Structures are given as structure tokens and as C-alpha cells.
PDB file of all heavy atoms in Angstrom:
ATOM      1  N   ASN A   1      93.914  90.666 105.641  1.00 96.00           N
ATOM      2  CA  ASN A   1      94.593  91.382 104.556  1.00 96.00           C
ATOM      3  C   ASN A   1      95.602  92.388 105.093  1.00 96.00           C
ATOM      4  O   ASN A   1      95.933  93.353 104.412  1.00 96.00           O
ATOM      5  CB  ASN A   1      93.582  92.115 103.668  1.00 96.00           C
ATOM      6  CG  ASN A   1      92.758  91.149 102.849  1.00 96.00           C
ATOM      7  OD1 ASN A   1      93.263  90.163 102.353  1.00 96.00           O
ATOM      8  ND2 ASN A   1      91.475  91.423 102.738  1.00 96.00           N
ATOM      9  N   THR A   2      96.067  92.181 106.312  1.00 97.00           N
ATOM     10  CA  THR A   2      96.990  93.128 106.912  1.00 97.00           C
ATOM     11  C   THR A   2      98.171  92.410 107.565  1.00 97.00           C
ATOM     12  O   THR A   2      98.057  91.270 107.991  1.00 97.00           O
ATOM     13  CB  THR A   2      96.306  93.995 107.985  1.00 97.00           C
ATOM     14  OG1 THR A   2      95.827  93.150 109.028  1.00 97.00           O
ATOM     15  CG2 THR A   2      95.183  94.819 107.412  1.00 97.00           C
ATOM     16  N   ILE A   3      99.277  93.124 107.612  1.00 97.00           N
ATOM     17  CA  ILE A   3     100.469  92.648 108.308  1.00 97.00           C
ATOM     18  C   ILE A   3     100.942  93.779 109.205  1.00 97.00           C
ATOM     19  O   ILE A   3     101.012  94.926 108.792  1.00 97.00           O
ATOM     20  CB  ILE A   3     101.592  92.272 107.318  1.00 97.00           C
ATOM     21  CG1 ILE A   3     101.142  91.150 106.391  1.00 97.00           C
ATOM     22  CG2 ILE A   3     102.864  91.882 108.075  1.00 97.00           C
ATOM     23  CD1 ILE A   3     102.092  90.888 105.238  1.00 97.00           C
ATOM     24  N   SER A   4     101.280  93.439 110.411  1.00 96.00           N
ATOM     25  CA  SER A   4     101.808  94.392 111.372  1.00 96.00           C
ATOM     26  C   SER A   4     103.300  94.113 111.547  1.00 96.00           C
ATOM     27  O   SER A   4     103.707  92.969 111.701  1.00 96.00           O
ATOM     28  CB  SER A   4     101.064  94.197 112.699  1.00 96.00           C
ATOM     29  OG  SER A   4     101.792  94.663 113.771  1.00 96.00           O
ATOM     30  N   VAL A   5     104.103  95.176 111.469  1.00 94.00           N
ATOM     31  CA  VAL A   5     105.540  95.075 111.745  1.00 94.00           C
ATOM     32  C   VAL A   5     105.765  95.828 113.049  1.00 94.00           C
ATOM     33  O   VAL A   5     105.430  97.005 113.161  1.00 94.00           O
ATOM     34  CB  VAL A   5     106.386  95.691 110.609  1.00 94.00           C
ATOM     35  CG1 VAL A   5     107.867  95.578 110.936  1.00 94.00           C
ATOM     36  CG2 VAL A   5     106.080  95.016 109.275  1.00 94.00           C
ATOM     37  N   GLU A   6     106.312  95.117 114.039  1.00 93.00           N
ATOM     38  CA  GLU A   6     106.508  95.688 115.369  1.00 93.00           C
ATOM     39  C   GLU A   6     107.980  95.671 115.746  1.00 93.00           C
ATOM     40  O   GLU A   6     108.728  94.809 115.287  1.00 93.00           O
ATOM     41  CB  GLU A   6     105.734  94.877 116.407  1.00 93.00           C
ATOM     42  CG  GLU A   6     104.259  94.777 116.114  1.00 93.00           C
ATOM     43  CD  GLU A   6     103.550  93.767 117.002  1.00 93.00           C
ATOM     44  OE1 GLU A   6     104.236  92.970 117.686  1.00 93.00           O
ATOM     45  OE2 GLU A   6     102.317  93.774 117.004  1.00 93.00           O
ATOM     46  N   ASN A   7     108.380  96.612 116.592  1.00 87.00           N
ATOM     47  CA  ASN A   7     109.735  96.550 117.125  1.00 87.00           C
ATOM     48  C   ASN A   7     109.772  95.471 118.208  1.00 87.00           C
ATOM     49  O   ASN A   7     108.735  94.877 118.540  1.00 87.00           O
ATOM     50  CB  ASN A   7     110.208  97.915 117.629  1.00 87.00           C
ATOM     51  CG  ASN A   7     109.365  98.473 118.741  1.00 87.00           C
ATOM     52  OD1 ASN A   7     108.675  97.759 119.461  1.00 87.00           O
ATOM     53  ND2 ASN A   7     109.403  99.782 118.910  1.00 87.00           N
ATOM     54  N   THR A   8     110.928  95.195 118.758  1.00 84.00           N
ATOM     55  CA  THR A   8     111.053  94.104 119.726  1.00 84.00           C
ATOM     56  C   THR A   8     110.341  94.399 121.049  1.00 84.00           C
ATOM     57  O   THR A   8     110.129  93.490 121.841  1.00 84.00           O
ATOM     58  CB  THR A   8     112.531  93.763 119.990  1.00 84.00           C
ATOM     59  OG1 THR A   8     113.218  94.956 120.364  1.00 84.00           O
ATOM     60  CG2 THR A   8     113.189  93.159 118.767  1.00 84.00           C
ATOM     61  N   GLU A   9     109.942  95.653 121.263  1.00 88.00           N
ATOM     62  CA  GLU A   9     109.160  95.993 122.457  1.00 88.00           C
ATOM     63  C   GLU A   9     107.665  95.774 122.237  1.00 88.00           C
ATOM     64  O   GLU A   9     106.863  95.967 123.142  1.00 88.00           O
ATOM     65  CB  GLU A   9     109.398  97.459 122.864  1.00 88.00           C
ATOM     66  CG  GLU A   9     110.781  97.729 123.431  1.00 88.00           C
ATOM     67  CD  GLU A   9     111.832  97.943 122.347  1.00 88.00           C
ATOM     68  OE1 GLU A   9     111.543  98.618 121.351  1.00 88.00           O
ATOM     69  OE2 GLU A   9     112.936  97.400 122.496  1.00 88.00           O
ATOM     70  N   GLY A  10     107.271  95.403 121.016  1.00 89.00           N
ATOM     71  CA  GLY A  10     105.869  95.135 120.711  1.00 89.00           C
ATOM     72  C   GLY A  10     105.095  96.333 120.214  1.00 89.00           C
ATOM     73  O   GLY A  10     103.875  96.263 120.058  1.00 89.00           O
ATOM     74  N   THR A  11     105.769  97.451 119.922  1.00 91.00           N
ATOM     75  CA  THR A  11     105.097  98.635 119.392  1.00 91.00           C
ATOM     76  C   THR A  11     104.996  98.523 117.880  1.00 91.00           C
ATOM     77  O   THR A  11     105.996  98.303 117.205  1.00 91.00           O
ATOM     78  CB  THR A  11     105.900  99.912 119.753  1.00 91.00           C
ATOM     79  OG1 THR A  11     106.026  99.987 121.171  1.00 91.00           O
ATOM     80  CG2 THR A  11     105.206 101.154 119.222  1.00 91.00           C
ATOM     81  N   GLU A  12     103.771  98.651 117.353  1.00 93.00           N
ATOM     82  CA  GLU A  12     103.596  98.597 115.898  1.00 93.00           C
ATOM     83  C   GLU A  12     104.249  99.819 115.267  1.00 93.00           C
ATOM     84  O   GLU A  12     103.968 100.946 115.641  1.00 93.00           O
ATOM     85  CB  GLU A  12     102.117  98.546 115.528  1.00 93.00           C
ATOM     86  CG  GLU A  12     101.907  98.429 114.029  1.00 93.00           C
ATOM     87  CD  GLU A  12     100.461  98.348 113.638  1.00 93.00           C
ATOM     88  OE1 GLU A  12      99.816  99.413 113.580  1.00 93.00           O
ATOM     89  OE2 GLU A  12      99.987  97.235 113.414  1.00 93.00           O
ATOM     90  N   ILE A  13     105.139  99.551 114.289  1.00 94.00           N
ATOM     91  CA  ILE A  13     105.777 100.662 113.590  1.00 94.00           C
ATOM     92  C   ILE A  13     105.288 100.779 112.151  1.00 94.00           C
ATOM     93  O   ILE A  13     105.340 101.857 111.575  1.00 94.00           O
ATOM     94  CB  ILE A  13     107.324 100.577 113.663  1.00 94.00           C
ATOM     95  CG1 ILE A  13     107.817  99.213 113.226  1.00 94.00           C
ATOM     96  CG2 ILE A  13     107.814 100.917 115.051  1.00 94.00           C
ATOM     97  CD1 ILE A  13     109.340  99.069 113.206  1.00 94.00           C
ATOM     98  N   TYR A  14     104.793  99.678 111.586  1.00 95.00           N
ATOM     99  CA  TYR A  14     104.220  99.696 110.238  1.00 95.00           C
ATOM    100  C   TYR A  14     103.042  98.755 110.176  1.00 95.00           C
ATOM    101  O   TYR A  14     103.012  97.737 110.859  1.00 95.00           O
ATOM    102  CB  TYR A  14     105.254  99.272 109.173  1.00 95.00           C
ATOM    103  CG  TYR A  14     106.327 100.296 109.021  1.00 95.00           C
ATOM    104  CD1 TYR A  14     107.513 100.193 109.720  1.00 95.00           C
ATOM    105  CD2 TYR A  14     106.133 101.410 108.219  1.00 95.00           C
ATOM    106  CE1 TYR A  14     108.481 101.170 109.628  1.00 95.00           C
ATOM    107  CE2 TYR A  14     107.102 102.389 108.120  1.00 95.00           C
ATOM    108  CZ  TYR A  14     108.274 102.263 108.821  1.00 95.00           C
ATOM    109  OH  TYR A  14     109.228 103.234 108.744  1.00 95.00           O
ATOM    110  N   ASN A  15     102.087  99.119 109.340  1.00 96.00           N
ATOM    111  CA  ASN A  15     100.937  98.272 109.052  1.00 96.00           C
ATOM    112  C   ASN A  15     100.814  98.210 107.543  1.00 96.00           C
ATOM    113  O   ASN A  15     100.754  99.246 106.886  1.00 96.00           O
ATOM    114  CB  ASN A  15      99.671  98.856 109.684  1.00 96.00           C
ATOM    115  CG  ASN A  15      98.483  97.980 109.454  1.00 96.00           C
ATOM    116  OD1 ASN A  15      97.958  97.925 108.345  1.00 96.00           O
ATOM    117  ND2 ASN A  15      98.066  97.284 110.483  1.00 96.00           N
ATOM    118  N   LEU A  16     100.817  97.007 107.003  1.00 97.00           N
ATOM    119  CA  LEU A  16     100.686  96.820 105.560  1.00 97.00           C
ATOM    120  C   LEU A  16      99.296  96.296 105.260  1.00 97.00           C
ATOM    121  O   LEU A  16      98.828  95.360 105.927  1.00 97.00           O
ATOM    122  CB  LEU A  16     101.713  95.813 105.040  1.00 97.00           C
ATOM    123  CG  LEU A  16     103.167  96.265 105.002  1.00 97.00           C
ATOM    124  CD1 LEU A  16     103.784  96.261 106.376  1.00 97.00           C
ATOM    125  CD2 LEU A  16     103.960  95.382 104.072  1.00 97.00           C
ATOM    126  N   THR A  17      98.637  96.895 104.287  1.00 97.00           N
ATOM    127  CA  THR A  17      97.339  96.430 103.819  1.00 97.00           C
ATOM    128  C   THR A  17      97.544  95.893 102.413  1.00 97.00           C
ATOM    129  O   THR A  17      98.083  96.592 101.552  1.00 97.00           O
ATOM    130  CB  THR A  17      96.305  97.573 103.816  1.00 97.00           C
ATOM    131  OG1 THR A  17      96.233  98.121 105.137  1.00 97.00           O
ATOM    132  CG2 THR A  17      94.943  97.076 103.385  1.00 97.00           C
ATOM    133  N   ILE A  18      97.116  94.655 102.193  1.00 98.00           N
ATOM    134  CA  ILE A  18      97.370  93.986 100.921  1.00 98.00           C
ATOM    135  C   ILE A  18      96.046  93.677 100.235  1.00 98.00           C
ATOM    136  O   ILE A  18      95.158  93.056 100.818  1.00 98.00           O
ATOM    137  CB  ILE A  18      98.155  92.669 101.134  1.00 98.00           C
ATOM    138  CG1 ILE A  18      99.545  92.955 101.719  1.00 98.00           C
ATOM    139  CG2 ILE A  18      98.333  91.926  99.829  1.00 98.00           C
ATOM    140  CD1 ILE A  18      99.614  92.880 103.188  1.00 98.00           C
ATOM    141  N   THR A  19      95.907  94.154  98.996  1.00 97.00           N
ATOM    142  CA  THR A  19      94.774  93.792  98.140  1.00 97.00           C
ATOM    143  C   THR A  19      95.358  93.240  96.841  1.00 97.00           C
ATOM    144  O   THR A  19      96.567  93.288  96.625  1.00 97.00           O
ATOM    145  CB  THR A  19      93.870  95.005  97.820  1.00 97.00           C
ATOM    146  OG1 THR A  19      94.601  95.922  96.998  1.00 97.00           O
ATOM    147  CG2 THR A  19      93.393  95.700  99.081  1.00 97.00           C
ATOM    148  N   ASP A  20      94.503  92.737  95.964  1.00 95.00           N
ATOM    149  CA  ASP A  20      94.983  92.246  94.669  1.00 95.00           C
ATOM    150  C   ASP A  20      95.582  93.373  93.827  1.00 95.00           C
ATOM    151  O   ASP A  20      96.406  93.131  92.965  1.00 95.00           O
ATOM    152  CB  ASP A  20      93.852  91.587  93.876  1.00 95.00           C
ATOM    153  CG  ASP A  20      93.502  90.214  94.407  1.00 95.00           C
ATOM    154  OD1 ASP A  20      94.311  89.641  95.168  1.00 95.00           O
ATOM    155  OD2 ASP A  20      92.416  89.711  94.065  1.00 95.00           O
ATOM    156  N   GLU A  21      95.164  94.612  94.082  1.00 97.00           N
ATOM    157  CA  GLU A  21      95.618  95.749  93.286  1.00 97.00           C
ATOM    158  C   GLU A  21      96.846  96.452  93.853  1.00 97.00           C
ATOM    159  O   GLU A  21      97.689  96.921  93.102  1.00 97.00           O
ATOM    160  CB  GLU A  21      94.490  96.789  93.131  1.00 97.00           C
ATOM    161  CG  GLU A  21      93.312  96.320  92.309  1.00 97.00           C
ATOM    162  CD  GLU A  21      92.368  95.428  93.115  1.00 97.00           C
ATOM    163  OE1 GLU A  21      92.236  95.627  94.334  1.00 97.00           O
ATOM    164  OE2 GLU A  21      91.776  94.514  92.514  1.00 97.00           O
ATOM    165  N   GLU A  22      96.925  96.563  95.190  1.00 97.00           N
ATOM    166  CA  GLU A  22      98.020  97.341  95.757  1.00 97.00           C
ATOM    167  C   GLU A  22      98.415  96.868  97.151  1.00 97.00           C
ATOM    168  O   GLU A  22      97.660  96.181  97.833  1.00 97.00           O
ATOM    169  CB  GLU A  22      97.676  98.828  95.791  1.00 97.00           C
ATOM    170  CG  GLU A  22      96.474  99.169  96.639  1.00 97.00           C
ATOM    171  CD  GLU A  22      96.020 100.607  96.466  1.00 97.00           C
ATOM    172  OE1 GLU A  22      96.238 101.196  95.389  1.00 97.00           O
ATOM    173  OE2 GLU A  22      95.429 101.138  97.427  1.00 97.00           O
ATOM    174  N   ILE A  23      99.611  97.287  97.535  1.00 97.00           N
ATOM    175  CA  ILE A  23     100.114  97.080  98.890  1.00 97.00           C
ATOM    176  C   ILE A  23     100.367  98.461  99.468  1.00 97.00           C
ATOM    177  O   ILE A  23     101.110  99.250  98.890  1.00 97.00           O
ATOM    178  CB  ILE A  23     101.405  96.242  98.885  1.00 97.00           C
ATOM    179  CG1 ILE A  23     101.115  94.844  98.311  1.00 97.00           C
ATOM    180  CG2 ILE A  23     101.993  96.150 100.299  1.00 97.00           C
ATOM    181  CD1 ILE A  23     102.348  93.989  98.110  1.00 97.00           C
ATOM    182  N   THR A  24      99.715  98.747 100.571  1.00 97.00           N
ATOM    183  CA  THR A  24      99.845 100.044 101.218  1.00 97.00           C
ATOM    184  C   THR A  24     100.634  99.874 102.504  1.00 97.00           C
ATOM    185  O   THR A  24     100.299  99.031 103.334  1.00 97.00           O
ATOM    186  CB  THR A  24      98.457 100.638 101.531  1.00 97.00           C
ATOM    187  OG1 THR A  24      97.688 100.672 100.325  1.00 97.00           O
ATOM    188  CG2 THR A  24      98.576 102.043 102.095  1.00 97.00           C
ATOM    189  N   ILE A  25     101.686 100.680 102.640  1.00 96.00           N
ATOM    190  CA  ILE A  25     102.505 100.668 103.844  1.00 96.00           C
ATOM    191  C   ILE A  25     102.195 101.937 104.625  1.00 96.00           C
ATOM    192  O   ILE A  25     102.444 103.043 104.154  1.00 96.00           O
ATOM    193  CB  ILE A  25     104.012 100.615 103.494  1.00 96.00           C
ATOM    194  CG1 ILE A  25     104.326  99.384 102.636  1.00 96.00           C
ATOM    195  CG2 ILE A  25     104.849 100.646 104.767  1.00 96.00           C
ATOM    196  CD1 ILE A  25     105.727  99.369 102.051  1.00 96.00           C
ATOM    197  N   ASN A  26     101.607 101.764 105.812  1.00 95.00           N
ATOM    198  CA  ASN A  26     101.281 102.887 106.688  1.00 95.00           C
ATOM    199  C   ASN A  26     102.248 102.872 107.860  1.00 95.00           C
ATOM    200  O   ASN A  26     102.488 101.824 108.452  1.00 95.00           O
ATOM    201  CB  ASN A  26      99.849 102.764 107.229  1.00 95.00           C
ATOM    202  CG  ASN A  26      98.831 102.870 106.129  1.00 95.00           C
ATOM    203  OD1 ASN A  26      98.721 103.900 105.491  1.00 95.00           O
ATOM    204  ND2 ASN A  26      98.108 101.792 105.882  1.00 95.00           N
ATOM    205  N   GLU A  27     102.804 104.026 108.194  1.00 92.00           N
ATOM    206  CA  GLU A  27     103.738 104.070 109.309  1.00 92.00           C
ATOM    207  C   GLU A  27     103.124 104.750 110.516  1.00 92.00           C
ATOM    208  O   GLU A  27     102.222 105.574 110.390  1.00 92.00           O
ATOM    209  CB  GLU A  27     105.039 104.728 108.905  1.00 92.00           C
ATOM    210  CG  GLU A  27     104.942 106.153 108.442  1.00 92.00           C
ATOM    211  CD  GLU A  27     106.291 106.669 107.986  1.00 92.00           C
ATOM    212  OE1 GLU A  27     106.626 106.460 106.813  1.00 92.00           O
ATOM    213  OE2 GLU A  27     106.981 107.278 108.800  1.00 92.00           O
ATOM    214  N   SER A  28     103.622 104.383 111.685  1.00 91.00           N
ATOM    215  CA  SER A  28     103.166 104.994 112.930  1.00 91.00           C
ATOM    216  C   SER A  28     104.174 106.048 113.369  1.00 91.00           C
ATOM    217  O   SER A  28     105.214 106.240 112.735  1.00 91.00           O
ATOM    218  CB  SER A  28     103.027 103.923 114.015  1.00 91.00           C
ATOM    219  OG  SER A  28     104.312 103.518 114.449  1.00 91.00           O
ATOM    220  N   ALA A  29     103.894 106.677 114.479  1.00 87.00           N
ATOM    221  CA  ALA A  29     104.799 107.695 115.015  1.00 87.00           C
ATOM    222  C   ALA A  29     106.146 107.093 115.425  1.00 87.00           C
ATOM    223  O   ALA A  29     107.148 107.788 115.477  1.00 87.00           O
ATOM    224  CB  ALA A  29     104.148 108.380 116.209  1.00 87.00           C
ATOM    225  N   ALA A  30     106.183 105.792 115.679  1.00 85.00           N
ATOM    226  CA  ALA A  30     107.419 105.135 116.120  1.00 85.00           C
ATOM    227  C   ALA A  30     108.305 104.691 114.950  1.00 85.00           C
ATOM    228  O   ALA A  30     109.362 104.106 115.158  1.00 85.00           O
ATOM    229  CB  ALA A  30     107.074 103.926 116.992  1.00 85.00           C
ATOM    230  N   SER A  31     107.907 104.979 113.725  1.00 87.00           N
ATOM    231  CA  SER A  31     108.666 104.543 112.555  1.00 87.00           C
ATOM    232  C   SER A  31     109.900 105.416 112.337  1.00 87.00           C
ATOM    233  O   SER A  31     110.043 106.462 112.943  1.00 87.00           O
ATOM    234  CB  SER A  31     107.787 104.573 111.309  1.00 87.00           C
ATOM    235  OG  SER A  31     107.406 105.899 111.031  1.00 87.00           O
ATOM    236  N   ASP A  32     110.786 104.940 111.453  1.00 86.00           N
ATOM    237  CA  ASP A  32     111.973 105.731 111.124  1.00 86.00           C
ATOM    238  C   ASP A  32     112.280 105.602 109.637  1.00 86.00           C
ATOM    239  O   ASP A  32     111.807 104.692 108.966  1.00 86.00           O
ATOM    240  CB  ASP A  32     113.182 105.303 111.972  1.00 86.00           C
ATOM    241  CG  ASP A  32     113.593 103.880 111.691  1.00 86.00           C
ATOM    242  OD1 ASP A  32     114.287 103.659 110.684  1.00 86.00           O
ATOM    243  OD2 ASP A  32     113.222 102.985 112.468  1.00 86.00           O
ATOM    244  N   LYS A  33     113.081 106.531 109.126  1.00 88.00           N
ATOM    245  CA  LYS A  33     113.354 106.616 107.696  1.00 88.00           C
ATOM    246  C   LYS A  33     114.072 105.365 107.159  1.00 88.00           C
ATOM    247  O   LYS A  33     113.717 104.849 106.106  1.00 88.00           O
ATOM    248  CB  LYS A  33     114.189 107.866 107.401  1.00 88.00           C
ATOM    249  CG  LYS A  33     114.450 108.080 105.927  1.00 88.00           C
ATOM    250  CD  LYS A  33     115.219 109.357 105.676  1.00 88.00           C
ATOM    251  CE  LYS A  33     115.480 109.530 104.193  1.00 88.00           C
ATOM    252  NZ  LYS A  33     116.201 110.755 103.901  1.00 88.00           N
ATOM    253  N   LYS A  34     115.076 104.856 107.879  1.00 88.00           N
ATOM    254  CA  LYS A  34     115.823 103.686 107.407  1.00 88.00           C
ATOM    255  C   LYS A  34     114.903 102.479 107.264  1.00 88.00           C
ATOM    256  O   LYS A  34     114.915 101.801 106.242  1.00 88.00           O
ATOM    257  CB  LYS A  34     116.970 103.344 108.356  1.00 88.00           C
ATOM    258  CG  LYS A  34     117.716 102.084 107.918  1.00 88.00           C
ATOM    259  CD  LYS A  34     118.792 101.658 108.893  1.00 88.00           C
ATOM    260  CE  LYS A  34     119.420 100.347 108.422  1.00 88.00           C
ATOM    261  NZ  LYS A  34     120.377  99.808 109.363  1.00 88.00           N
ATOM    262  N   THR A  35     114.086 102.230 108.277  1.00 89.00           N
ATOM    263  CA  THR A  35     113.184 101.082 108.228  1.00 89.00           C
ATOM    264  C   THR A  35     112.171 101.245 107.117  1.00 89.00           C
ATOM    265  O   THR A  35     111.870 100.300 106.393  1.00 89.00           O
ATOM    266  CB  THR A  35     112.484 100.890 109.587  1.00 89.00           C
ATOM    267  OG1 THR A  35     113.477 100.795 110.605  1.00 89.00           O
ATOM    268  CG2 THR A  35     111.633  99.631 109.586  1.00 89.00           C
ATOM    269  N   ARG A  36     111.633 102.459 106.947  1.00 91.00           N
ATOM    270  CA  ARG A  36     110.659 102.714 105.874  1.00 91.00           C
ATOM    271  C   ARG A  36     111.265 102.391 104.516  1.00 91.00           C
ATOM    272  O   ARG A  36     110.665 101.707 103.694  1.00 91.00           O
ATOM    273  CB  ARG A  36     110.196 104.169 105.916  1.00 91.00           C
ATOM    274  CG  ARG A  36     109.221 104.510 104.782  1.00 91.00           C
ATOM    275  CD  ARG A  36     108.735 105.950 104.840  1.00 91.00           C
ATOM    276  NE  ARG A  36     109.811 106.903 104.687  1.00 91.00           N
ATOM    277  CZ  ARG A  36     110.136 107.831 105.594  1.00 91.00           C
ATOM    278  NH1 ARG A  36     109.473 107.937 106.717  1.00 91.00           N
ATOM    279  NH2 ARG A  36     111.127 108.670 105.369  1.00 91.00           N
ATOM    280  N   GLU A  37     112.478 102.868 104.258  1.00 93.00           N
ATOM    281  CA  GLU A  37     113.129 102.621 102.964  1.00 93.00           C
ATOM    282  C   GLU A  37     113.438 101.141 102.760  1.00 93.00           C
ATOM    283  O   GLU A  37     113.237 100.592 101.680  1.00 93.00           O
ATOM    284  CB  GLU A  37     114.401 103.452 102.839  1.00 93.00           C
ATOM    285  CG  GLU A  37     114.129 104.864 102.387  1.00 93.00           C
ATOM    286  CD  GLU A  37     113.327 104.920 101.099  1.00 93.00           C
ATOM    287  OE1 GLU A  37     113.785 104.376 100.068  1.00 93.00           O
ATOM    288  OE2 GLU A  37     112.229 105.482 101.105  1.00 93.00           O
ATOM    289  N   LYS A  38     113.927 100.475 103.796  1.00 92.00           N
ATOM    290  CA  LYS A  38     114.246  99.044 103.695  1.00 92.00           C
ATOM    291  C   LYS A  38     112.976  98.224 103.470  1.00 92.00           C
ATOM    292  O   LYS A  38     112.972  97.281 102.677  1.00 92.00           O
ATOM    293  CB  LYS A  38     114.982  98.550 104.941  1.00 92.00           C
ATOM    294  CG  LYS A  38     116.402  99.040 105.043  1.00 92.00           C
ATOM    295  CD  LYS A  38     117.275  98.331 104.030  1.00 92.00           C
ATOM    296  CE  LYS A  38     118.740  98.573 104.296  1.00 92.00           C
ATOM    297  NZ  LYS A  38     119.599  97.791 103.418  1.00 92.00           N
ATOM    298  N   LEU A  39     111.893  98.583 104.153  1.00 94.00           N
ATOM    299  CA  LEU A  39     110.632  97.870 103.985  1.00 94.00           C
ATOM    300  C   LEU A  39     110.100  98.069 102.569  1.00 94.00           C
ATOM    301  O   LEU A  39     109.666  97.112 101.915  1.00 94.00           O
ATOM    302  CB  LEU A  39     109.616  98.332 105.024  1.00 94.00           C
ATOM    303  CG  LEU A  39     108.281  97.614 105.059  1.00 94.00           C
ATOM    304  CD1 LEU A  39     108.456  96.116 105.267  1.00 94.00           C
ATOM    305  CD2 LEU A  39     107.395  98.196 106.154  1.00 94.00           C
ATOM    306  N   ARG A  40     110.160  99.300 102.069  1.00 95.00           N
ATOM    307  CA  ARG A  40     109.726  99.578 100.695  1.00 95.00           C
ATOM    308  C   ARG A  40     110.562  98.774  99.704  1.00 95.00           C
ATOM    309  O   ARG A  40     110.027  98.128  98.805  1.00 95.00           O
ATOM    310  CB  ARG A  40     109.834 101.070 100.379  1.00 95.00           C
ATOM    311  CG  ARG A  40     109.349 101.438  98.968  1.00 95.00           C
ATOM    312  CD  ARG A  40     109.671 102.875  98.601  1.00 95.00           C
ATOM    313  NE  ARG A  40     111.076 103.194  98.680  1.00 95.00           N
ATOM    314  CZ  ARG A  40     111.998 102.804  97.777  1.00 95.00           C
ATOM    315  NH1 ARG A  40     111.647 102.085  96.744  1.00 95.00           N
ATOM    316  NH2 ARG A  40     113.268 103.159  97.931  1.00 95.00           N
TER     317      ARG A  40
END
């Protein structure tokens, strides 16, 4: 029930948890504002 979004160096920058009710986007310290907005 999860998806990992990684940069090309293999560092996880987002983790998505998917249930029937909601999709939760969790960001790591390596995330950035542009990617967060585009992913949302």
C-alpha cells in the first residue's frame, strides 16, 4: 500500500501511503517545494 518516489541517486524523497479512504504523501528531508506541489 505504499509507493516510494526517489531521486536519480536512489534517495527516497517521498513516500505515499494509499488506502481506500485517503492518499498520504510524506516527505523526507531531501524533498523540495516544487516537487511536493507537482506531486500533489
Side-chain angles (χ1 to χ4, degrees):
N1 290 321
T2 61
I3 299 170
S4 157
V5 180
E6 303 169 348
N7 61 23
T8 53
E9 290 83 41
T11 302
E12 182 179 81
I13 52 177
Y14 291 94
N15 182 286
L16 288 76
T17 303
I18 296 94
T19 67
D20 285 344
E21 293 80 32
E22 61 190 28
I23 298 173
T24 306
I25 302 170
N26 295 296
E27 61 184 86
S28 73
S31 64
D32 64 81
K33 183 177 179 179
K34 177 184 176 185
T35 305
R36 178 179 62 239
E37 277 306 301
K38 288 287 192 174
L39 185 57
R40 182 189 57 75

